[in-house]
Amino acid sequence: MGQISIKIPGHFSAKINTHATWDTRDNTFYPTTGVLISGKISRAGITDQAFGNLLTISDRSYYKGVASASTYNAIGEHGVLAVIASVCGAGRDAPFFDSCGVGFSDGLRGFGTLDNLQNWSASAQVEYRGRFSERFGYVAFAGLGGGGESISAISTKNGGAAAGVGLRYRIAKKFGLDYAVDYAVNDQGEAFLYLSLGQRF
């Protein structure tokens, strides 16, 4: 799958993505069994010019890769244990909006989206999902992540641990689609509230 875009005069960006996915989940929105493994590798180029494109300010390219694996296991009649691990790596010339980081490229709750941007990051999350009724459900989750300038330098100093709870309201019983409200606190004492459609992973 490829994507090419031209943003503004004097700025050109092009990006080519390659995706691979293995999916054995029993449901896309609310899986109770199965495995999802996905990977994406992209190469992008960015050129910035000025004075009617007569002066090139910067001309750079970079690679980025993201891989994740998640499993889903039914517990009892209404419970589900979901686990996900992910790793992200981006070249040093990647712009901030296409870099890696805990809470940014992995969706780990409990961290500011742009607080831990790094060239490399890795994280793991575990979540228990239960139901009060056919319409209402709840989750309890915990996660750990870190980042660094290289894969060998990944550290929880650029991330950390977080945990929280959430409520679910099923808006489509046929598809298992929930509206989600999550509250998370990290090991620095910071609290975050999340509103989303569907599960986090």
Side-chain angles (χ1 to χ4, degrees):
M1 176 179 175
Q3 174 182 328
I4 297 178
S5 59
I6 299 176
K7 301 297 184 182
I8 57 175
H11 179 92
F12 173 80
S13 64
K15 187 174 186 178
I16 299 176
N17 298 317
T18 301
H19 300 261
T21 301
W22 183 47
D23 190 354
T24 65
R25 296 173 299 170
D26 61 344
N27 185 287
T28 301
F29 297 116
Y30 195 83
T32 60
T33 62
V35 174
L36 174 63
I37 299 174
S38 64
K40 181 176 73 172
I41 298 176
S42 61
R43 176 176 172 81
I46 299 176
T47 301
D48 288 300
Q49 296 176 320
F51 303 112
N53 299 336
L54 295 177
L55 175 64
T56 298
I57 300 174
S58 67
D59 188 1
R60 63 191 190 275
S61 63
Y62 63 92
Y63 285 95
K64 180 181 179 180
V66 181
S68 66
S70 55
T71 64
Y72 305 88
N73 297 277
I75 297 179
E77 186 176 354
H78 300 293
V80 178
L81 183 66
V83 180
I84 186 171
S86 63
V87 63
C88 175
R92 294 183 182 275
D93 287 331
F96 79 93
F97 55 82
D98 203 20
S99 59
C100 301
V102 174
F104 180 62
S105 59
D106 56 8
L108 185 61
R109 287 158 290 188
F111 299 93
T113 304
L114 302 178
D115 289 345
N116 299 287
L117 296 182
Q118 296 289 329
N119 297 119
W120 284 85
S121 64
S123 68
Q125 303 176 64
V126 60
E127 178 173 282
Y128 178 79
R129 301 169 183 170
R131 308 299 303 179
F132 294 120
S133 66
E134 193 173 10
R135 283 288 186 187
F136 292 93
Y138 65 93
V139 301
F141 55 88
L144 177 70
E149 294 184 357
S150 65
I151 191 169
S152 61
I154 290 177
S155 168
T156 54
K157 292 180 180 178
N158 299 305
V165 294
L167 295 174
R168 299 290 183 267
Y169 177 72
R170 183 140 299 174
I171 60 175
K173 291 188 288 184
K174 179 179 179 179
F175 302 107
L177 181 61
D178 290 340
Y179 186 75
V181 180
D182 292 332
Y183 177 78
V185 179
N186 65 26
D187 53 4
Q188 302 297 314
E190 298 175 308
F192 296 83
L193 183 66
Y194 300 87
L195 306 175
S196 61
L197 186 63
Q199 312 303 319
R200 295 289 291 186
F201 63 91

